[in-house]
Amino acid sequence: MSANRSVFKDEAKLDINYVPNRLPHREAEMRLLTEFFSFALAAPGKMAQRVLVVGDVGTGKTALSQRFGADITQQAKQRGINLHCIHVNCRQYRGSLFLILHYAVSTFHPTFPKRGFSAEELLNIFLQVLDEQNAHVILVLDELESLIEREGAEPVYKLTRLQEARFGKPQRISLICILKSLKSIEGLDPSTRSTLQSNIIRLEPYSREQLIDILNDRVQLAFKPFTVPEETVNLIAEIARSEGGNARFAIELLWRAGKYADAEDFSYVPPEFVRKAVSSIYAIARKSDLATLTLHEKLLLLGLARFFKENSDRAYASLTEVERTYAVVCEEFGVQPHTHTQLWKYLQMLSALGIIKKSVSSAGQRGRTTLLCLPSIPVKELEKELTTLLEKEVEGG
Amino acid sequence: MQIEEVLGNRLRVKILKILNQVKELNVSEIARRINANHKTTMKHLKILENEGILYHKRFGRIRLYRFNINSAKARAIQSLMENWDKSEEPAKSFRTTVK
């Protein structure tokens, strides 16, 4: 399909990382966030703020914080305030405070070494850097669940209580913590929780009408005029509404339907291509998640996929069974299998990512066995995807 | 130290070249990149620092070295390095004018 026959004007506007200038139906939340951080422009250093942004997948948490971050740093620049907004996805940094802080420090010192100190030392270094440059930071911890899951309450406690050891010095670090639900911070100790929970912004799932507005905005930005009929937008909004008001899903559907239109040489995007897109999207929705897994997490997941492929009547597999298929997969790729304890850690990670579901066997069985299942991904697709990724990784050394 | 002494050492020139490329670096990484041990690297870094060409900042145990932009020597060396790899026409025009 030649570019001039494409229904798209600018595909990039449908990219998952694109943050539009205007976030429809999040104006109130944006105002609230601006209000919480008004001190950052009026009296930087006098106080630090902690805000929780809570909402389901695709409710605009990341987009809201990124839009806010870009706007406030621009305003700060105009006023001569050295304010940075550092957005870190905790899951991308494997829920490690050290890696998260290293990323933050490396925005000021890009070649800062990765070894030779602890997370505590790195936190002090970060503060030293900010003091030296008279800089203030809004640290956005996206998918905070990963950090809590891996390191417990400690990192959050340290980040919220920084100022106690710096009495009299300017406050440098404010936090925006992004969570899917407040459940994940229920396990934190009461003092950490209380410092976090004072400012909460809840993002409710988008309604059908709101999704239509969002989609219309993106259609205008990304598609040529009159290429996306109203019925197509309505159908996407309907489907995304049933997926829990997930705008990201809606935008992905819109893009995919456009791609089908291009592939089949259509000059517009009929609703039929939306249906086609839906059936393909589930299988690859987690592709980006898979690519971020470590070698052995991939191998273990492939072991699990193979198990379910061979035992298609089973919904659950025991850890012992999966360990056996994992060992075979390791042999196939010429990799030394890791031990049971290591595998347990990988399972925790896979479960935290929501790729697998883990439960403990109930009454009726002797002992306690961990049972694993793959809730949402078709096994064949998963196997295909993992095999491709692993072949690349193992061959690439 | 005289210029020929300071720039007459291959490792010191390598250090300057690397720091000109990446702006700042810690000692271990410099040592790794110039393929020298820590002690030797420190010796050369100290010489360059004493000459005012480099300076370092401490972050706990980490020392980050970079060019001292306030020094005329440092700026001259940076300019030399930036111009060094630029392709230049051989001096043909000079020969024709001599004729």
Side-chain angles (χ1 to χ4, degrees):
Chain A
M1 172 94 232
S2 60
N4 56 354
R5 293 283 313 274
S6 170
V7 291
F8 292 108
K9 182 170 71 182
D10 183 3
E11 250 183 86
K13 298 287 193 293
L14 299 175
D15 188 87
I16 190 168
N17 296 314
Y18 172 74
V19 183
N21 289 328
R22 190 179 87 92
L23 296 176
H25 303 290
R26 288 292 175 244
E27 292 86 357
E29 289 81 359
M30 186 63 104
R31 273 199 299 277
L32 198 54
L33 208 48
T34 313
E35 199 52 51
F36 282 147
F37 282 97
S38 57
F39 74 91
L41 298 173
K46 290 275 183 283
M47 64 181 279
Q49 188 60 282
R50 291 171 282 271
V51 177
L52 278 183
V53 178
V54 186
D56 280 338
V57 180
T59 50
K61 305 182 293 292
T62 305
L64 178 74
S65 63
Q66 285 183 334
R67 185 70 265 148
F68 168 72
D71 291 350
I72 198 170
T73 42
Q74 201 189 353
Q75 285 174 37
K77 205 175 168 188
Q78 283 165 359
R79 296 180 188 211
I81 300 165
N82 191 4
L83 176 72
H84 298 254
C85 188
I86 302 176
H87 193 112
V88 198
N89 186 318
C90 299
R91 187 158 110 192
Q92 202 181 338
Y93 290 91
R94 314 210 141 262
S96 147
L97 179 65
F98 178 87
L99 292 179
I100 290 165
L101 288 171
H102 184 269
Y103 172 76
V105 172
S106 66
T107 56
F108 294 90
H109 294 280
T111 54
F112 204 84
K114 275 200 175 119
R115 286 173 215 175
F117 36 82
S118 64
E120 287 78 14
E121 284 172 296
L122 198 51
L123 189 53
N124 289 329
I125 288 170
F126 188 36
L127 284 166
Q128 188 193 335
V129 170
L130 297 179
D131 278 337
E132 272 175 14
Q133 306 198 6
N134 191 22
H136 303 274
V137 159
I138 298 174
L139 187 61
V140 184
L141 298 172
D142 204 343
E143 304 209 33
L144 183 74
E145 291 93 342
S146 290
L147 180 62
I148 295 173
E149 177 115 2
R150 186 179 147 157
E151 299 197 359
E154 220 32 46
V156 183
Y157 187 83
K158 276 180 202 147
L159 287 169
T160 50
R161 298 297 175 94
L162 280 176
Q163 206 54 30
E164 285 168 11
R166 285 169 50 86
F167 187 72
K169 287 188 178 172
Q171 306 213 37
R172 300 280 179 200
I173 304 177
S174 291
L175 293 176
I176 296 180
C177 299
I178 301 181
L179 289 161
K180 283 197 192 77
S181 90
L182 288 174
K183 261 188 194 156
S184 49
I185 60 165
E186 275 171 8
L188 299 180
D189 57 290
S191 54
T192 313
R193 222 168 45 216
S194 71
T195 51
L196 270 181
Q197 273 180 329
S198 46
N199 305 312
I200 302 180
I201 297 178
R202 275 177 214 275
L203 302 184
E204 298 302 330
Y206 291 110
S207 68
R208 183 177 172 275
E209 283 65 34
Q210 290 173 334
L211 286 165
I212 290 175
D213 287 343
I214 294 169
L215 286 165
N216 280 334
D217 256 27
R218 293 295 178 106
V219 165
Q220 238 176 16
L221 289 167
F223 287 85
K224 287 178 186 161
F226 313 114
T227 52
V228 185
E230 206 181 316
E231 302 87 74
T232 303
V233 171
N234 290 350
L235 178 62
I236 297 176
E238 193 64 61
I239 295 168
R241 174 70 203 122
S242 65
E243 278 292 310
N246 184 343
R248 192 192 303 162
F249 182 75
I251 293 163
E252 167 101 26
L253 269 184
L254 179 64
W255 173 76
R256 211 158 277 280
K259 280 305 212 190
Y260 277 116
D262 271 6
E264 306 212 2
D265 227 3
F266 269 59
S267 57
Y268 72 106
V269 188
E272 180 50 29
F273 290 145
V274 177
R275 283 181 212 108
K276 237 178 162 177
V278 176
S279 59
S280 75
I281 209 165
Y282 288 104
I284 53 163
R286 298 200 168 271
K287 220 175 190 175
S288 57
D289 284 354
L290 295 181
T292 61
L293 298 177
T294 63
L295 174 66
H296 282 270
E297 282 165 359
K298 284 191 202 111
L299 290 166
L300 183 61
L301 196 56
L302 182 57
L304 189 62
R306 293 263 171 90
F307 177 85
F308 285 121
K309 197 180 159 197
E310 282 158 25
N311 304 278
S312 52
D313 53 331
R314 297 264 304 266
Y316 291 92
S318 76
L319 181 53
T320 329
E321 287 165 330
V322 177
E323 270 188 78
R324 247 176 260 146
T325 49
Y326 160 76
V328 176
V329 171
C330 284
E331 202 180 317
E332 184 186 323
F333 285 92
V335 179
Q336 181 80 26
H338 281 183
T339 57
H340 180 84
T341 323
Q342 257 335 90
L343 293 187
W344 178 250
K345 277 188 197 161
Y346 300 149
L347 285 179
Q348 301 278 65
M349 177 53 81
L350 292 172
S351 154
L353 292 175
I355 297 174
I356 64 163
K357 266 201 180 140
K358 160 163 91 52
S359 55
V360 176
S361 64
S362 49
Q365 267 187 300
R366 279 181 62 196
R368 286 159 65 85
T369 312
T370 306
L371 297 174
L372 311 162
C373 88
L374 283 169
S376 57
I377 322 171
V379 173
K380 272 187 186 165
E381 289 289 337
L382 182 65
E383 191 196 7
K384 203 172 119 193
E385 189 60 34
L386 281 168
T387 313
T388 323
L389 285 170
L390 279 164
E391 274 167 3
K392 258 191 232 163
E393 194 167 335
V394 174
E395 276 169 25
Chain B
M1 271 171 103
Q2 298 296 310
I3 183 169
E4 66 271 23
E5 283 180 80
V6 179
L7 298 183
N9 180 290
R10 181 188 281 260
L11 290 181
R12 282 203 284 276
V13 175
K14 267 191 182 177
I15 291 174
L16 293 169
K17 205 168 151 185
I18 289 164
L19 287 180
N20 189 46
Q21 281 162 358
V22 299
K23 306 299 170 217
E24 64 175 9
L25 220 49
N26 61 309
V27 183
S28 310
E29 186 56 25
I30 295 173
R32 195 185 69 77
R33 292 194 190 195
I34 65 168
N35 205 12
N37 63 37
H38 194 270
K39 200 176 160 191
T40 312
T41 310
M42 271 315 296
K43 185 184 86 181
H44 292 303
L45 285 170
K46 272 188 185 147
I47 291 172
L48 292 169
E49 194 166 18
N50 288 339
E51 286 301 317
I53 300 166
L54 300 183
Y55 81 101
H56 79 266
K57 254 185 194 176
R58 270 195 99 100
F59 295 98
R61 288 194 297 276
I62 309 295
R63 264 182 290 201
L64 292 183
Y65 277 86
R66 55 158 65 204
F67 270 93
N68 174 15
I69 46 158
N70 296 321
S71 141
K73 280 186 207 172
R75 289 198 301 272
I77 291 171
Q78 279 186 301
S79 157
L80 170 71
M81 301 217 152
E82 269 146 33
N83 285 305
W84 192 262
D85 293 326
K86 283 184 186 162
S87 62
E88 279 190 14
E89 289 280 306
K92 274 182 199 160
S93 55
F94 179 70
R95 233 182 296 157
T96 49
T97 47
V98 169
K99 269 181 188 176

